[in-house]
Amino acid sequence: MKVLTVLGARPQFIKAAPLSRLLRQNHTEFLVHTGQHYDEKLSSRFFDEFNIPNPDVNLEVGSGLHGEQTGAMLAGIERTILAFGPDIVLVYGDTNSTLAGALAAAKLCIPLAHVEAGLRSFNRSMPEEVNRVLTDHLSTWLFAPSRGAARQLELEGITSGIHVVGDIMLDTLRLTTAHDKDNDSGVLLNNLRLTRGAYHLCTVHRAENTDSRVRLSGILEGLSNLSLPVVLPLHPRTRISLQRHGLSLPPNAVAIDPLGHKDMMCLVQSAKGVLTDSGGLQKESYYLGVPCVTLRDETEWVETLATGWNRLAGADPDRIREAIEATPGPTHPHPTLYGDGHTAVRIASILSQWEA
Ligand code: UD1
């Protein structure tokens, strides 16, 4: 079977790592990188870290307005599908690269597999929400991380192709943390002059937070009220937004470049708490037993909220402080939420049954 996988942005490289190596055992995988993320620190580093083969094609689409970016990807992916002739197109998550891959496949009537199906924020002003909804409704296989996600797809009238397989990021986390983590994190913490359990880790990159001066300054004020240092691996979008809005980081912030996955997981594991607007980090914090404060007004990963390990604080300084103060201790119940870290095996096995 020939699988064409469409990747483009950092979280997709992380999600593809465990499934790509499995698919290649029995099938031919062709990788298209849209070029949505082009910085070494957001892109090629992850291919090296996870031994993902170099993309067969890089469309080098780069940054731009949403329509312009997605349209350029659509044209490039369509050309690639026509040249390669896949049996299946595989997409991950909710970025513009996901939607472009989904549309290109649907227009050429190639069956589409979507990993991370059924997630909803119910906020259509988020570009990711539009990307998810449309991709799900074009998919032949909808790989949902939870029963809740599967139920949502059914509520939207999708009656076939839904499989609850767990969260593929838990597979990646197992790959990443399989090594000598205490030692590695010790070196990293020393280099950053941090003490285990005595700092917070924060990431902010969502358009809703970085494009709004009010929200970004609210988050910075919230961070400045925390009594511990806050490490901030800065996404390029956020660095640019800080300059554009004329905002500076509070004195307790330690800004660093974006990190690879292993270093990031080391920093999560040793943090007192995580503050983030990323979907992936909300789950990774949960898996590693570290409390999370989500800097958004809603989340797709609602199951983490129900456990008490994740709290929504929006971009409001008071809510951020209250949420950090209310975070649970290590003995707080910690149920399994999104499977067992063997999601990639399930997906590979389901796709392998496909006969074109
Ligand atoms: C994208 C996804 C988001 C995902 C995130 C992970 C969409 C709509 N958004 O957001 O869901 O959580 O990736 O990081 O697909 N830039 C660089 N170098 C790069 C890439 C981007 O400097 O390699 C800067 C550019 O100024 C660009 C801005 O970041 O304009 C935004 O990049 P873009 O790819 O459009 O979206 P992300 O914010 O990265």
Side-chain angles (χ1 to χ4, degrees), residues 72-91:
M73 292 175 191
L74 176 59
I77 298 168
E78 182 175 63
R79 270 197 309 275
T80 312
I81 293 177
L82 287 172
F84 176 64
D87 301 301
I88 290 178
V89 171
L90 172 62
V91 296

mmCIF file of all heavy atoms in Angstrom, residues 72-91:
data_model
loop_
_atom_site.group_PDB
_atom_site.id
_atom_site.type_symbol
_atom_site.label_atom_id
_atom_site.label_comp_id
_atom_site.label_asym_id
_atom_site.label_seq_id
_atom_site.Cartn_x
_atom_site.Cartn_y
_atom_site.Cartn_z
ATOM 1 N N ALA A 72 -1.827 27.683 -1.555
ATOM 2 C CA ALA A 72 -0.547 27.260 -2.150
ATOM 3 C C ALA A 72 -0.269 25.801 -1.795
ATOM 4 O O ALA A 72 0.216 25.017 -2.618
ATOM 5 C CB ALA A 72 0.581 28.165 -1.658
ATOM 6 N N MET A 73 -0.597 25.423 -0.562
ATOM 7 C CA MET A 73 -0.389 24.024 -0.154
ATOM 8 C C MET A 73 -1.292 23.093 -0.964
ATOM 9 O O MET A 73 -0.870 22.044 -1.418
ATOM 10 C CB MET A 73 -0.753 23.835 1.326
ATOM 11 C CG MET A 73 0.162 24.514 2.304
ATOM 12 S SD MET A 73 -0.578 24.259 3.933
ATOM 13 C CE MET A 73 0.397 25.358 4.903
ATOM 14 N N LEU A 74 -2.541 23.506 -1.126
ATOM 15 C CA LEU A 74 -3.518 22.672 -1.847
ATOM 16 C C LEU A 74 -3.006 22.359 -3.262
ATOM 17 O O LEU A 74 -3.001 21.205 -3.695
ATOM 18 C CB LEU A 74 -4.859 23.419 -1.903
ATOM 19 C CG LEU A 74 -5.999 22.797 -2.685
ATOM 20 C CD1 LEU A 74 -6.360 21.427 -2.159
ATOM 21 C CD2 LEU A 74 -7.229 23.704 -2.633
ATOM 22 N N ALA A 75 -2.522 23.393 -3.941
ATOM 23 C CA ALA A 75 -2.022 23.190 -5.309
ATOM 24 C C ALA A 75 -0.821 22.250 -5.305
ATOM 25 O O ALA A 75 -0.717 21.340 -6.138
ATOM 26 C CB ALA A 75 -1.652 24.542 -5.915
ATOM 27 N N GLY A 76 0.081 22.451 -4.357
ATOM 28 C CA GLY A 76 1.295 21.625 -4.304
ATOM 29 C C GLY A 76 0.986 20.178 -3.937
ATOM 30 O O GLY A 76 1.570 19.239 -4.499
ATOM 31 N N ILE A 77 0.068 19.981 -2.998
ATOM 32 C CA ILE A 77 -0.262 18.603 -2.573
ATOM 33 C C ILE A 77 -1.004 17.885 -3.700
ATOM 34 O O ILE A 77 -0.765 16.709 -3.969
ATOM 35 C CB ILE A 77 -1.090 18.612 -1.258
ATOM 36 C CG1 ILE A 77 -0.275 19.241 -0.123
ATOM 37 C CG2 ILE A 77 -1.496 17.184 -0.872
ATOM 38 C CD1 ILE A 77 -1.076 19.564 1.125
ATOM 39 N N GLU A 78 -1.858 18.610 -4.387
ATOM 40 C CA GLU A 78 -2.578 17.992 -5.514
ATOM 41 C C GLU A 78 -1.578 17.478 -6.558
ATOM 42 O O GLU A 78 -1.672 16.335 -7.028
ATOM 43 C CB GLU A 78 -3.524 19.018 -6.145
ATOM 44 C CG GLU A 78 -4.341 18.454 -7.283
ATOM 45 C CD GLU A 78 -5.347 19.467 -7.807
ATOM 46 O OE1 GLU A 78 -4.922 20.530 -8.312
ATOM 47 O OE2 GLU A 78 -6.547 19.206 -7.707
ATOM 48 N N ARG A 79 -0.600 18.315 -6.897
ATOM 49 C CA ARG A 79 0.435 17.899 -7.869
ATOM 50 C C ARG A 79 1.164 16.652 -7.371
ATOM 51 O O ARG A 79 1.429 15.716 -8.125
ATOM 52 C CB ARG A 79 1.472 19.029 -8.037
ATOM 53 C CG ARG A 79 1.155 20.023 -9.118
ATOM 54 C CD ARG A 79 2.392 20.851 -9.497
ATOM 55 N NE ARG A 79 3.086 21.452 -8.369
ATOM 56 C CZ ARG A 79 2.760 22.619 -7.812
ATOM 57 N NH1 ARG A 79 1.734 23.312 -8.269
ATOM 58 N NH2 ARG A 79 3.436 23.086 -6.784
ATOM 59 N N THR A 80 1.455 16.652 -6.070
ATOM 60 C CA THR A 80 2.221 15.535 -5.501
ATOM 61 C C THR A 80 1.388 14.253 -5.523
ATOM 62 O O THR A 80 1.908 13.175 -5.821
ATOM 63 C CB THR A 80 2.627 15.874 -4.048
ATOM 64 O OG1 THR A 80 3.176 17.187 -4.038
ATOM 65 C CG2 THR A 80 3.642 14.904 -3.509
ATOM 66 N N ILE A 81 0.104 14.371 -5.203
ATOM 67 C CA ILE A 81 -0.758 13.174 -5.218
ATOM 68 C C ILE A 81 -0.818 12.612 -6.645
ATOM 69 O O ILE A 81 -0.681 11.405 -6.869
ATOM 70 C CB ILE A 81 -2.190 13.507 -4.714
ATOM 71 C CG1 ILE A 81 -2.170 13.878 -3.234
ATOM 72 C CG2 ILE A 81 -3.133 12.320 -4.953
ATOM 73 C CD1 ILE A 81 -3.530 14.288 -2.653
ATOM 74 N N LEU A 82 -0.974 13.498 -7.609
ATOM 75 C CA LEU A 82 -1.074 13.035 -9.001
ATOM 76 C C LEU A 82 0.219 12.338 -9.432
ATOM 77 O O LEU A 82 0.196 11.325 -10.121
ATOM 78 C CB LEU A 82 -1.383 14.225 -9.926
ATOM 79 C CG LEU A 82 -2.821 14.750 -9.800
ATOM 80 C CD1 LEU A 82 -2.989 16.045 -10.582
ATOM 81 C CD2 LEU A 82 -3.838 13.704 -10.272
ATOM 82 N N ALA A 83 1.350 12.854 -8.965
ATOM 83 C CA ALA A 83 2.630 12.254 -9.375
ATOM 84 C C ALA A 83 2.882 10.923 -8.663
ATOM 85 O O ALA A 83 3.398 9.980 -9.262
ATOM 86 C CB ALA A 83 3.769 13.233 -9.066
ATOM 87 N N PHE A 84 2.505 10.842 -7.389
ATOM 88 C CA PHE A 84 2.853 9.658 -6.582
ATOM 89 C C PHE A 84 1.777 8.567 -6.643
ATOM 90 O O PHE A 84 2.080 7.382 -6.544
ATOM 91 C CB PHE A 84 3.102 10.122 -5.132
ATOM 92 C CG PHE A 84 3.377 9.026 -4.154
ATOM 93 C CD1 PHE A 84 4.513 8.228 -4.280
ATOM 94 C CD2 PHE A 84 2.509 8.774 -3.092
ATOM 95 C CE1 PHE A 84 4.773 7.206 -3.374
ATOM 96 C CE2 PHE A 84 2.758 7.758 -2.186
ATOM 97 C CZ PHE A 84 3.898 6.973 -2.329
ATOM 98 N N GLY A 85 0.525 8.954 -6.781
ATOM 99 C CA GLY A 85 -0.568 7.982 -6.875
ATOM 100 C C GLY A 85 -0.773 7.138 -5.627
ATOM 101 O O GLY A 85 -0.733 5.910 -5.694
ATOM 102 N N PRO A 86 -1.011 7.774 -4.472
ATOM 103 C CA PRO A 86 -1.173 7.008 -3.232
ATOM 104 C C PRO A 86 -2.520 6.278 -3.151
ATOM 105 O O PRO A 86 -3.480 6.671 -3.825
ATOM 106 C CB PRO A 86 -1.124 8.096 -2.148
ATOM 107 C CG PRO A 86 -1.681 9.308 -2.820
ATOM 108 C CD PRO A 86 -1.222 9.226 -4.258
ATOM 109 N N ASP A 87 -2.555 5.231 -2.301
ATOM 110 C CA ASP A 87 -3.830 4.566 -1.999
ATOM 111 C C ASP A 87 -4.570 5.328 -0.907
ATOM 112 O O ASP A 87 -5.800 5.269 -0.821
ATOM 113 C CB ASP A 87 -3.569 3.134 -1.521
ATOM 114 C CG ASP A 87 -2.831 2.336 -2.577
ATOM 115 O OD1 ASP A 87 -3.375 2.212 -3.681
ATOM 116 O OD2 ASP A 87 -1.698 1.877 -2.311
ATOM 117 N N ILE A 88 -3.789 5.973 -0.036
ATOM 118 C CA ILE A 88 -4.357 6.662 1.133
ATOM 119 C C ILE A 88 -3.593 7.962 1.342
ATOM 120 O O ILE A 88 -2.378 8.002 1.137
ATOM 121 C CB ILE A 88 -4.158 5.799 2.409
ATOM 122 C CG1 ILE A 88 -5.045 4.557 2.368
ATOM 123 C CG2 ILE A 88 -4.411 6.584 3.683
ATOM 124 C CD1 ILE A 88 -4.845 3.646 3.578
ATOM 125 N N VAL A 89 -4.288 9.017 1.773
ATOM 126 C CA VAL A 89 -3.607 10.229 2.257
ATOM 127 C C VAL A 89 -3.820 10.300 3.765
ATOM 128 O O VAL A 89 -4.925 10.049 4.262
ATOM 129 C CB VAL A 89 -4.142 11.499 1.550
ATOM 130 C CG1 VAL A 89 -3.587 12.763 2.204
ATOM 131 C CG2 VAL A 89 -3.783 11.471 0.065
ATOM 132 N N LEU A 90 -2.740 10.622 4.487
ATOM 133 C CA LEU A 90 -2.771 10.635 5.954
ATOM 134 C C LEU A 90 -2.446 12.040 6.456
ATOM 135 O O LEU A 90 -1.433 12.624 6.051
ATOM 136 C CB LEU A 90 -1.719 9.634 6.461
ATOM 137 C CG LEU A 90 -1.399 9.561 7.941
ATOM 138 C CD1 LEU A 90 -2.617 9.149 8.754
ATOM 139 C CD2 LEU A 90 -0.264 8.551 8.178
ATOM 140 N N VAL A 91 -3.317 12.587 7.323
ATOM 141 C CA VAL A 91 -3.065 13.917 7.892
ATOM 142 C C VAL A 91 -3.232 13.868 9.412
ATOM 143 O O VAL A 91 -3.932 13.000 9.943
ATOM 144 C CB VAL A 91 -4.009 15.007 7.298
ATOM 145 C CG1 VAL A 91 -3.758 15.194 5.814
ATOM 146 C CG2 VAL A 91 -5.480 14.685 7.566
#
